[in-house]
Amino acid sequence: MSSIRAELSGDTDELLQRLNRLGNLETRGVLNSIAEGLRTSTVERFTEEKSPEGKPWKTSIRAREEGGKTLTKTAQLKNSIRSEVSESGLAVGTNDIRAATHQFGDERTIRAKNKKYLTFKIGGQWKKAASVKVSIPPRPFLGVSEQDEQDIKDALEEIFEE
C-alpha cells in the first residue's frame, strides 16, 4: 500500500479559506457569465468586421457596391449567435446553415437550374452565364480573441480573490 503525505507550513488560513470558497463555487453561474461575454464579443465582431485575431474581413461585393457592412445585410447571422452552458462546459455558436461558409470560406459553382442562364448584376452591369464559379473568402467571427482570454482570466481572478 502506498501513501502520500502533505504538510503545510506558514500562513495556511488564507489558503484554506480560498479552497473552501472553491468548494462552494456555483460553476454554472461562472460558465454563464463567461459564455455571455463570449457571445457578446462574437456579436460585436459583426460591427467591427474583424476576426477574433483582429484581422479585417474582406469587404463583400454587396457592401462595397450598395454600402453597409459585410455579413450584416439582414443581421440574420449575427442575431443567430447563441451561448449554451452545461455542467461540463460552454459553447458559443450558431445553427445558421451559412455560418460555416462564412467562417471558413468556400468555392463552389452555381449552375442555372430552371432556365438556360443565371442572370446577376456585378459592377453595375447585368451578366448572363450558364454557371458561375464563386469564391467566398473566410470571414471568421467565431473564436476566442486575446481580449476574450483576458476577460475570462480577470473574471476568474475576481472569483478567486473574493
Side-chain angles (χ1 to χ4, degrees), residues 26-156:
E26 203 263 289
T27 309
R28 196 172 195 95
V30 173
L31 291 177
N32 274 327
S33 177
I34 292 170
E36 182 56 24
L38 290 172
R39 189 198 67 77
T40 299
S41 69
T42 300
V43 169
E44 287 172 357
R45 289 190 191 110
F46 287 84
T47 301
E48 298 167 358
E49 298 181 89
K50 291 183 179 178
S51 73
E53 291 78 28
K55 295 179 183 173
W57 294 340
K58 184 175 180 183
T59 304
S60 67
I61 295 169
R62 186 217 35 94
R64 187 175 58 241
E65 291 183 357
E66 298 174 12
K69 293 188 173 286
T70 299
L71 299 185
T72 58
K73 182 177 180 181
T74 65
Q76 185 176 352
L77 180 58
K78 177 177 88 169
N79 292 336
S80 73
I81 305 298
R82 299 282 183 265
S83 62
E84 194 173 287
V85 173
S86 70
E87 295 302 321
S88 61
L90 63 93
V92 175
T94 176
N95 64 355
D96 191 307
I97 195 167
R98 300 162 299 155
T101 297
H102 294 301
Q103 178 77 14
F104 303 110
D106 196 9
E107 288 190 8
R108 57 180 72 159
T109 301
I110 302 171
R111 292 180 173 73
K113 291 181 183 177
N114 300 326
K115 297 186 179 181
K116 191 173 182 179
Y117 297 105
L118 296 167
T119 305
F120 52 94
K121 192 175 187 180
I122 287 204
Q125 294 186 351
W126 287 97
K127 308 277 184 183
K128 281 186 174 185
S131 67
V132 176
K133 185 170 183 172
V134 178
S135 179
I136 301 169
R139 296 179 177 107
F141 54 93
L142 294 170
V144 179
S145 69
E146 285 183 15
Q147 184 62 53
D148 293 331
E149 285 182 25
Q150 189 58 52
D151 291 346
I152 292 167
K153 287 177 186 175
D154 291 346
L156 292 174

